[in-house]
Amino acid sequence: MSTIEFDMFQSRQRSDWVRLQTLAKLRWIAILGQAFALIISVQVFDLHIQTGFAAMTVIASIGVNLAFRLIYPENKRLQEREAFFILVFDIIQLSVLLYLTGGLSNPFALLMLAPVTIAATILRLRRTIVLGLIAIVMTTLLTRFSLPIATASGAVLVLPALFQFGFWLAIVIGVVFLGVYARQVTTEMHNMAEALLATQLALSREQKLTDLGGVVAATAHELGTPLATIMLVSGELRNELAKNPDLLEDVDLIHDQAARCREILRTMGHIGKDDLLLHNTPIEALVKEAAAPHLDRGKSVAFHVGPDSTEKQPSVPRRPEIVHGLRNLIQNAVDFANHSVDITVRWSETELRVHISDDGDGFPTSVIGRIGDPFVRRRRETEDGKKRPGYAGMGLGLFIAKTLLERSGAKLLFRNG
């Protein structure tokens, strides 16, 4: 992969991932929960809290939801900055409500984790960290500043200092852990979706080449007869017009051009039939076809083909995904070989093996355990930079090859010699 493509994926913003309506629905659920908790606290448990201010805080959240509904269409998708400020508002609104209802003595303080978890799935790392720090700061302030909850008898409900510290620590750890976990899972899902899309595009390209080869072969076959007729008739005219040089020159031109067209179509038809239309082909021919584009790149590519038993050479389906997968693996070997690449094909009654090796420095130890995963971005510069200078691949090519070949029933093993 080129550095330009790497930078493109690296800088891609996580925008337009979520609809405004989705966050609005989540806020409506939170509003109903907050209102229900206030009503139960006052009417059932007869707790004394700042009901008026708490109700105003809930109404403020309702007002924001209604304003969004009036200003924006239902299918509005949030830009990253917009989503960030909406989640900041949710943290502040929840913090104010907790301040009015006992601070960390209120068990609903655990809901401080929700905006951070959502942020980790839709925001970039920098804004996710900022939002997490805001949540931690607000939680810390609630340990010192809050209005107490009192029972009907006047008893103040306050957690012991040790329990309050433990609750604060649990929320902080939850913010960090859930934020990191949610972001990691979402990032892997996003990268996998991008890589699978690239795989589908690569397979689609190979399929189009296959279809094009079929059209070429059919065209060559259909046009062969009329071109042969033109050449036959023009040959007879040449004999009859031997004494008329002016017309003979035109007939010679027709004959030569018809012969040229016939030769072009014959060559195209040969390529289409031999390389693109065969459903099954010997494994040696398939491997050499996959390696063909890389045979003249300045590296020696040697083929070693032979059985492990007396079994004859097997024929395998000539499928675009197999050709593309093998070609990608061979390209990787040629890219990083110093001088030579060896491709060994062996088979037995139950197994067919293709071994591709090169005389380069091998896979860096920092990524060898992750080969086949897309978007391997972090490498040890001191080690990997020396082995592969100027190379900033993402592992997407090997992922595509691995995915395509495994879909065909193959098993891949990457290792250093």
Side-chain angles (χ1 to χ4, degrees):
M1 298 297 121
S2 65
T3 303
I4 295 177
E5 187 174 359
F6 174 77
D7 290 340
M8 177 186 70
F9 280 98
Q10 181 79 354
S11 63
R12 178 173 294 175
Q13 295 187 8
R14 294 188 170 198
S15 59
D16 298 335
W17 277 33
V18 64
R19 294 184 303 165
L20 175 62
Q21 188 178 13
T22 301
L23 291 184
K25 287 181 179 179
L26 293 176
R27 186 181 287 114
W28 281 122
I29 295 174
I31 290 170
L32 291 176
Q34 293 169 359
F36 181 76
L38 289 175
I39 293 172
I40 293 298
S41 299
V42 175
Q43 299 297 326
V44 177
F45 295 103
D46 198 20
L47 300 178
H48 295 281
I49 57 178
Q50 299 291 329
T51 309
F53 290 109
M56 291 176 60
T57 305
V58 176
I59 291 173
S61 187
I62 295 174
V64 171
N65 254 15
L66 293 177
F68 283 152
R69 185 177 182 84
L70 294 175
I71 296 174
Y72 297 107
E74 291 186 1
N75 60 351
K76 164 71 175 176
R77 291 192 176 271
L78 295 172
Q79 296 295 320
E80 188 176 12
R81 183 178 179 183
E82 296 170 337
F84 172 76
F85 284 113
I86 287 176
L87 293 173
V88 169
F89 169 81
D90 290 336
I91 290 178
I92 295 175
Q93 188 265 353
L94 180 59
S95 300
V96 172
L97 192 59
L98 291 173
Y99 167 79
L100 297 171
T101 55
L104 292 190
S105 298
N106 189 331
F108 289 101
L110 188 65
L111 294 176
M112 194 69 74
L113 301 175
V116 179
T117 305
I118 295 174
T121 63
I122 63 176
L123 301 181
R124 284 188 298 174
L125 180 61
R126 181 170 58 87
R127 284 197 166 99
T128 301
I129 293 175
V130 171
L131 200 74
L133 291 176
I134 292 175
I136 293 174
V137 169
M138 300 303 293
T139 304
T140 304
L141 292 176
L142 289 172
T143 62
R144 297 299 184 105
F145 308 100
S146 63
L147 299 180
I149 300 176
T151 63
S153 62
V156 177
L157 301 178
V158 180
L159 285 176
L162 182 60
F163 281 89
Q164 193 173 76
F165 172 75
F167 195 24
W168 170 84
L169 186 60
I171 293 177
V172 172
I173 293 176
V175 166
V176 175
F177 175 77
L178 288 179
V180 172
Y181 179 78
R183 178 173 181 82
Q184 185 67 23
V185 171
T186 306
T187 300
E188 290 181 1
M189 291 175 60
H190 175 66
N191 289 344
M192 187 62 68
E194 291 282 353
L196 288 176
L197 176 60
T199 303
Q200 292 173 353
L201 292 175
L203 185 57
S204 175
R205 177 179 176 274
E206 288 293 326
Q207 188 61 51
K208 288 179 179 178
L209 290 176
T210 300
D211 296 339
L212 180 60
V215 172
V216 169
T219 302
H221 175 73
E222 295 297 329
L223 293 181
T225 300
L227 283 175
T229 303
I230 293 174
M231 291 188 64
L232 178 62
V233 173
S234 61
E236 293 177 353
L237 289 175
R238 291 171 67 180
N239 295 330
E240 295 180 3
L241 298 175
K243 298 180 180 180
N244 192 336
D246 294 335
L247 295 178
L248 181 61
E249 183 178 352
D250 294 335
V251 173
D252 287 338
L253 179 61
I254 293 174
H255 186 276
D256 293 341
Q257 293 302 312
R260 181 183 176 189
C261 290
R262 187 179 183 184
E263 179 63 24
I264 291 174
L265 288 175
R266 186 191 66 80
T267 304
M268 294 172 67
H270 175 76
I271 295 174
K273 291 176 183 177
D274 289 349
D275 294 338
L276 297 171
L277 293 181
L278 285 177
H279 295 290
N280 292 280
T281 184
I283 181 60
E284 180 181 2
L286 186 70
V287 172
K288 288 184 177 180
E289 177 191 349
H294 308 292
L295 297 180
D296 56 352
R297 294 180 52 197
K299 308 290 177 63
S300 172
V301 180
F303 297 90
H304 310 279
V305 182
D308 290 337
S309 63
T310 57
E311 292 292 317
K312 67 177 183 179
Q313 183 173 159
S315 294
V316 296
R318 194 210 170 280
R319 294 162 57 182
E321 53 265 39
I322 298 178
V323 176
H324 187 89
L326 286 173
R327 184 169 295 162
N328 214 321
L329 295 177
I330 295 171
Q331 176 185 350
N332 187 79
V334 173
D335 284 342
F336 299 108
N338 291 328
H339 302 98
S340 64
V341 174
D342 291 305
I343 303 175
T344 303
V345 182
R346 293 285 185 267
W347 61 86
S348 64
E349 294 182 0
T350 59
E351 189 178 50
L352 170 61
R353 297 191 307 275
V354 178
H355 183 264
I356 303 170
S357 62
D358 62 79
D359 61 349
D361 294 326
F363 296 107
T365 56
S366 62
V367 300
I368 193 170
R370 295 178 289 161
I371 293 175
D373 291 337
F375 304 94
V376 177
R377 292 173 178 169
R378 296 182 180 178
R379 290 179 171 145
R380 298 174 186 172
E381 294 298 330
T382 55
E383 178 182 353
D384 303 348
K386 295 178 180 179
K387 292 184 177 182
R388 297 185 173 194
Y391 186 77
M394 296 181 294
L396 183 57
L398 287 179
F399 168 80
I400 293 175
K402 183 173 182 289
T403 301
L404 292 177
L405 291 173
E406 287 179 343
R407 284 178 56 183
S408 303
K411 294 182 180 180
L412 276 72
L413 174 64
F414 298 93
R415 65 183 180 184
N416 287 327

